[in-house]
Amino acid sequence: QVQLVESGGGLVQAGGSLRLSCAASGSIASIYSMGWYRQAPGKQRELVAFITSGGTTNYADSVKGRFTISRDNAKNTEYLEMNSLKPEDTAVYYCNTVTYSRLVYWGQGTQVTVSS
């Protein structure tokens, strides 16, 4: 099992920045990829970005060039640096991991609100 604890959400003005963190514990060695999803009110949860154990990254088109995902393996923590935030980035952001055996774990979510 993997446990995930997110932090770093909050309220920011458009054009501002936030950094989200997700600390993993438990069966760390089983983690293949770590990622971030978000869900806005009335919308489906969508992928924001993920990073594999080998460092390969992938981003949603809507955040490319503005968001950066990174991973500190020594701290078992992933980060999402969000710059040039827009009101449409407002959502609950969820940390996610996928293990080598394809098990999926989720964090509890952290609210990000971008005011115009």
Side-chain angles (χ1 to χ4, degrees), residues 17-63:
S17 299
L18 280 175
R19 188 176 81 155
L20 305 182
S21 300
C22 176
S25 61
S27 302
I28 303 301
S30 67
I31 294 176
Y32 167 68
S33 69
M34 299 187 75
W36 292 92
Y37 283 70
R38 66 186 181 187
Q39 187 166 20
K43 294 188 177 182
Q44 289 189 330
R45 191 174 296 190
E46 63 176 3
L47 174 68
V48 176
F50 70 82
I51 182 167
T52 69
S53 57
T56 300
T57 59
N58 191 43
Y59 296 91
D61 288 342
S62 59
V63 306

Side-chain angles (χ1 to χ4, degrees), residues 84-97:
S84 302
L85 282 161
K86 304 175 181 179
E88 51 264 44
D89 293 318
T90 295
V92 178
Y93 284 69
Y94 295 91
C95 176
N96 156 283
T97 67

